[in-house]
Amino acid sequence: MLNYRNALGEMPSYDGVERDFRIKVNANESTMNLPPLVEERVSNRLGYLALNRYPNEEYDMLVEQIAKNFGVAKSQALLGSGSSEIIEKVFHAFGGAGKKVVYPQPSFSMYKIYAKAAESEGVPFDLDKKFDLDVDAFIKKIREVKADLAVICNPNNPTGNALAVAQIEEIAKSIDCALLLDEAYVEFYGHSAFGLIKKYPNLIVARTFSKAYGLAGARVGYMLAQEDVTRMINKTFMPYHMNVLSLAAADIVYQMRDEFVSRIQMTIAERQRIFEQLKKLRGVEVFPSQTNFILIRLEKAATLNEYLESLDIGVRHFSANAAGLKNCLRISIGTRIENDEVFAAIKNFLHKV
Ligand SMILES: *Cc1c(COP(=O)(O)O)cnc(C)c1O
């Protein structure tokens, strides 16, 4: 008999199904690879790395760039292998037996899993019918259960909606415990709350290169917080947890982030265009989005998902036990051609049933 650690047996697996699709709009990735100019510079850079050395210098260079851009000290930024690693470490740092973590539901499915992994008690807080967060009730809940960590995903995955920065400030100000703000999609929203870290020592902001910057394969994310917080969180990472290839790629991408502005704008414009089109379909509920995806709800979601799969189109279908997401599908925004094809397929399906 193999004696695994206690929480592991009951810990759910991440249920994202990975399969290749002709049109893959199921994971909110960028459907385009890096802009050619950026790709060329990344390739060149990867050609002269000191692979025999631990990646101190490359880590420092990227942290320095990020800190400079946000106008904070280098000691206030940490990098992770995707923001996933950051989030997991934050759950770990504020977790353990007897600790509690409050997060909205539905939101990023991994919060529940990281809570379990940290042996904390996960306390989901239900969003309302329109997937809005009742900020006052959320604050009340955090205080009531004496949470050690609260989490907000803004804009929220998979619902797409966002809180105003003032609402986030209200939460940060009203609770004593740590507040992790997951801003994975903030580039498609345009309103970051990172400026609040100056004022609120409990606030931690997590960001990623995986969505707007099309670097999901390299696994790079970062967090910003006050120095005392980063010093503690930093203890939870392995030494040299970032690899030099990813660091170098992200360093170039960050230097050249202006090259991504037009793509981000295109994605936002496409999101609005597809949103308006989807809204015209009868029997489909469409949720407004500030991200690079749109959530829809329809009675025949499972059948539509199968139909799309038969056309080699992959969207995200939520399992029956995903709270609040019954009959929901999440569709990432791709290129104009991809979006048109996905929309035409949905429309076609609705005509047939
Ligand atoms: C995609 C995503 C992340 C993490 O992405 P990484 O690739 O690990 O940086 C974190 N939070 C949310 C809500 C996401 O959707």
Side-chain angles (χ1 to χ4, degrees), residues 82-84 87 108 111 153 157 182 184-185 208 210-211 219-220:
S83 57
S84 293
I87 298 165
F108 192 37
Y111 300 149
C153 180
N157 176 14
D182 182 351
Y185 300 94
T208 181
S210 297
K211 308 287 161 57
R219 316 299 306 122
V220 185

Side-chain angles (χ1 to χ4, degrees), residues 93-279:
F94 295 98
K99 299 288 174 72
K100 288 179 185 161
V101 45
V102 178
Y103 44 81
Q105 166 178 284
S107 188
F108 192 37
S109 60
M110 289 306 296
Y111 300 149
K112 182 178 166 182
I113 298 176
Y114 294 139
K116 271 261 191 305
E119 295 184 28
S120 302
E121 183 186 336
V123 182
F125 178 87
D126 286 331
L127 299 176
D128 71 13
K129 266 214 165 91
K130 294 193 138 166
F131 294 137
D132 285 326
L133 179 77
D134 180 338
V135 169
D136 292 337
F138 185 63
I139 292 168
K140 203 168 149 229
K141 184 76 175 182
I142 293 163
R143 288 175 168 167
E144 213 171 81
V145 305
K146 298 192 169 64
D148 303 281
L149 173 65
V151 185
I152 296 275
C153 180
N154 201 56
N156 191 38
N157 176 14
T159 60
N161 54 343
L163 295 171
V165 172
Q167 290 177 293
I168 292 171
E169 177 158 18
E170 187 61 34
I171 298 168
K173 171 163 66 181
S174 311
I175 62 175
D176 292 329
C177 70
L179 174 62
L180 172 62
L181 178 63
D182 182 351
E183 290 194 329
Y185 300 94
V186 78
E187 292 86 356
F188 305 104
Y189 174 42
H191 306 283
S192 173
F194 86 88
L196 298 176
I197 60 169
K198 274 200 263 344
K199 218 164 145 189
Y200 299 100
N202 57 340
L203 183 63
I204 299 164
V205 177
R207 293 276 198 102
T208 181
F209 282 80
S210 297
K211 308 287 161 57
Y213 295 102
L215 218 54
R219 316 299 306 122
V220 185
Y222 56 95
M223 61 160 268
L224 304 165
Q226 289 193 7
E227 190 181 333
D228 291 348
V229 180
T230 52
R231 195 184 329 108
M232 290 298 282
I233 306 286
N234 203 19
K235 294 184 189 185
T236 68
F237 288 96
M238 294 181 294
Y240 313 117
H241 56 109
M242 304 289 295
N243 76 76
V244 70
L245 299 161
S246 297
L247 287 168
D251 192 51
I252 300 284
V253 163
Y254 207 70
Q255 277 176 35
M256 298 181 80
R257 60 192 180 282
D258 285 353
E259 300 292 321
F260 292 80
V261 171
S262 60
R263 293 182 162 204
I264 294 169
Q265 283 167 350
M266 186 280 280
T267 300
I268 293 171
E270 279 295 288
R271 175 186 78 207
Q272 290 317 108
R273 186 177 72 89
I274 295 297
F275 175 75
E276 294 303 327
Q277 290 190 359
L278 287 168
K279 261 201 336 198

